[in-house]
């Protein structure tokens, strides 16, 4: 996924895509499940005299106020506090220490603030050992959260934004890509590649890894070869894709020209002194060099970045085309989540990109499409389909053993040693293997389990944390899916829930439809036909929200038996939080009435 380590070709990563990934796929346990009880405890503990801390206070504390350390023996709390006040103000100490002043704010210090918060002790570097029991007594609001006994060494390693440098079990796919793309390093056009695989099978990570290697090697051998990465889930129209590409190439052309100008200016100066300097160059005279400089400066003037909206698409295309063709190079355009682009905007972009090579004079373009949807080419123009699919590489789901390897690798840097109990990784791997071998899910589980353990203030992550993490992630997913359903689907789902709440199981379509109709009337919504409602039920089934099986009723034909496959209460709460659906004040009476009939 998008990297944030900053050690790669960042120009291939868009800010927007990074942003989208962060927000799209991360259950964020940090924002929920606070533990008010614990905070209560730490902030209402009796205030000890803070002076015992003083001698052991670590001297390298970056936020410690000067005044605090200069008074090792202290006096009364009050004395200290006064002394500190003077000191920190005189030194213009930063706000954080200014407000804290290393002194204890007693119960009577601030109205309505019963705790003794000692922010002066805030020290990010303090080890658990250093903070000792003396600190324990005077912990502030953030102390527990900051210090504790952290389980993680480097949590970032488990986030989707981290690009691993090793991708176990993807050697074959990576080698295949490299074998095709090496052509670019020989100055020829690589075949277009289409990569398929379900989410979390390592497509993005592998593609980025390969593109970094490709660019590194091209720099090493000074072969002009560039990779442009676009996440089509974010950049999802032809205009935007072309505009983004155009602007990136313009940027690169500008850098290329600046570089040339610098060299030419140097050459001009040298040649002015000694004309022999021009011997091995294409220039016959200093004037020729100056002409070239003037031409390049003109070119630099002419580049016109594409605005994010407003131009006719053909103008965007020709700007992009000219920018690519400005100088000789092979360009690999990686279109990640290409299925989303086609779904949203059709295949025009792909059509235009795939026929470029016949018109380009200096450069060559090769396309690498990445799709989560195995059947997306069915929607493509046959010409686009055959051009794009010159080479196909499939990323199969990981099995539990492979997931275990992947997790093991990442866990080594992510966690402090000996913090994972034995069964944690195998269990995360097993859960994720059920989830179509999704490595992203496996990593999410491991990270969330660690966070839950951290909140429990335990020293190790246990199996139970993994199970809790699985529930949490599953629930987060359900909530998100239900929240974003269209109103009509929400009403159908709510009808199903009402029936289940009334003890009906194996609900049939007709029953759902009747309740649905009443709900629509209640809130003045359009009533769809039963046939459409049946379709919506199938969609809910595909989303894993209900389970609908077709059963034969003999001579009465066939019907669906529907059961809810998500937690009832949470789902109902999400539905009722919708402003429209929430208008249904109390649906029980008419559900009940239906059974009385
Ligand atoms: P996809 O693009 O197929 O949906 P990603 O490449 O984004 O999947 O992978 C999902 C997550 O799993 C990322 O955090 C990625 O770093 C990690 N991952 C996937 N495959 C591997 C692997 N073989 N080794 C290590 N990490 C992997
Ligand atoms: Mg991906």
């Amino acid at each position: 996924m998008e990297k944030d380590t900053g050690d790669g070709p960042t120009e291939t990563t868009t800010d927007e895509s990074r942003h989208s990934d962060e927000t799209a796929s991360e259950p964020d346990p940090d924002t929920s499940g606070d533990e008010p009880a614990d905070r209560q405890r730490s902030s209402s503990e009796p205030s000890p005299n803070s002076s015992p801390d003083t001698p052991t206070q670590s001297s390298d504390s970056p936020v410690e106020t000067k005044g605090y350390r200069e008074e090792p023996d202290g006096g009364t709390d009050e004395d200290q506090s006064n002394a500190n006040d003077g000191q920190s103000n005189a030194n213009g100490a930063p706000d954080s220490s200014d407000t804290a002043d290393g002194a204890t704010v007693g119960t009577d210090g601030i109205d309505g603030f019963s705790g003794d918060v000692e922010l002066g002790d805030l020290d990010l570097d303090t080890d658990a050992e250093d903070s000792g029991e003396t600190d324990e007594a005077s912990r502030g609001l953030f102390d527990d959260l900051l210090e504790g006994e952290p389980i993680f060494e480097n949590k970032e390693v488990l986030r989707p934004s981290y690009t691993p440098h090793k991708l176990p079990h993807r050697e074959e796919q990576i080698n295949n890509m490299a074998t095709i793309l090496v052509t670019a390093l020989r100055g020829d056009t690589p075949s277009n590649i289409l990569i398929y695989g379900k989410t979390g099978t390592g497509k993005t990570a592998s593609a980025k890894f390969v593109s970094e290697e490709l660019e590194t090697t091209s720099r090493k051998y000074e072969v002009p070869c560039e990779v442009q990465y676009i996440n089509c889930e974010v950049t999802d129209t032809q205009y935007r894709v072309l505009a983004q590409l155009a602007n990136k190439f313009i940027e690169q052309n500008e850098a290329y020209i600046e570089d040339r100008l610098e060299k030419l200016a140097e050459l001009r100066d040298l040649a002015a002194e000694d004309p022999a300097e021009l011997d091995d160059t294409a220039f016959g005279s200093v004037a020729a060099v100056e002409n070239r400089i003037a031409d390049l400066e003109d070119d630099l003037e002419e580049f016109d970045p594409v605005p994010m909206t407003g131009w006719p698409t053909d103008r965007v295309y020709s700007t992009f085309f000219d920018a690519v063709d400005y100088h000789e190079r092979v360009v690999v355009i990686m279109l990640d989540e290409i299925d989303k682009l086609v779904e949203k905007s059709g295949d025009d972009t792909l059509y235009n990109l795939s026929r470029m090579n016949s018109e380009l004079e200096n450069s060559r373009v090769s396309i690498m499409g990445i799709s989560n949807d195995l059947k997306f080419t069915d929607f493509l123009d046959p010409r686009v389909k055959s051009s794009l699919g010159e080479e196909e590489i499939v990323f199969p789901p990981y099995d539990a053993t492979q997931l275990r390897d992947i997790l093991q690798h990442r866990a080594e840097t992510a966690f402090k040693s000996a913090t994972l109990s034995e069964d944690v990784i195998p269990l995360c791997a097993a859960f994720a293997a059920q989830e179509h071998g999704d490595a992203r899910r496996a990593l999410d589980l491991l990270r969330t389990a660690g966070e839950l353990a951290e909140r429990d203030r335990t020293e190790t992550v246990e199996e139970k944390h993994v199970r809790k993490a699985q529930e949490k992630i599953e629930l987060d997913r359900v909530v998100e899916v239900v929240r974003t359903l269209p109103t009509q689907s929400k009403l159908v789902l709510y009808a199903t829930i009402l029936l289940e709440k009334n003890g009906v199981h194996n609900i049939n379509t007709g029953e759902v439809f009747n309740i649905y109709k009443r709900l629509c009337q209640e809130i003045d919504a359009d009533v769809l036909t039963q046939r459409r409602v049946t379709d919506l039920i199938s969609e809910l089934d595909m989303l894993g929200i209900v389970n609908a099986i077709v059963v034969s009723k003999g001579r009465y034909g066939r019907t669906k038996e529907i059961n809810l496959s998500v937690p009832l209460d949470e789902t109902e709460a999400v539905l009722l939080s919708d402003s429209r659906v929430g208008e249904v004040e109390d649906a029980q009476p008419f559900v009940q009435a239906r059974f009385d009939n």
Side-chain angles (χ1 to χ4, degrees), residues 168-181:
H169 305 294
R170 281 302 172 240
E171 293 84 2
E172 187 189 327
Q173 286 76 10
I174 287 175
N175 280 334
N176 282 347
M177 279 189 252
T179 311
I180 299 164
L181 293 176

Side-chain angles (χ1 to χ4, degrees), residues 229-354:
Y229 174 90
I230 290 202
N231 183 341
C232 301
E233 188 169 22
V234 184
T235 310
D236 58 0
T237 62
Q238 167 158 247
Y239 187 107
R240 284 195 213 148
V241 170
L242 295 178
Q244 192 171 323
L245 287 170
N247 291 341
K248 280 180 172 172
F249 284 112
I250 287 174
E251 230 171 75
Q252 278 175 357
N253 293 343
E254 285 168 346
Y256 169 83
I257 293 177
E258 307 277 3
D259 186 54
R260 292 281 299 144
L261 282 173
E262 204 172 296
K263 292 202 173 106
L264 288 171
E266 202 176 305
L267 180 64
R268 179 194 55 200
D269 295 347
L270 288 171
E273 301 261 311
D274 174 12
E277 291 283 342
L278 294 174
D279 284 355
D280 287 336
T281 70
F283 302 101
S285 64
V286 173
V289 179
E290 279 173 345
N291 282 341
R292 183 74 188 122
I293 290 177
D295 286 348
L296 287 174
E297 280 170 346
D298 286 348
D299 287 352
L300 207 50
E301 288 288 298
E302 274 172 30
F303 287 125
D304 201 0
V306 182
M308 278 334 274
T309 53
W311 281 12
T313 310
D314 56 350
R315 181 171 173 203
V316 183
Y317 177 79
S318 66
T319 305
F320 157 66
F321 185 97
D322 293 344
V324 174
D325 213 25
Y326 183 74
H327 69 94
E328 193 180 313
R329 61 185 151 190
V330 176
V331 163
V332 179
I333 298 177
M334 276 174 51
L335 297 171
D336 203 351
E337 317 264 339
I338 193 174
D339 45 324
K340 304 274 167 41
L341 174 69
V342 173
E343 196 181 297
K344 171 105 195 284
S345 322
D347 59 4
D348 289 350
T349 322
L350 303 182
Y351 179 79
N352 287 328
L353 290 177
S354 62

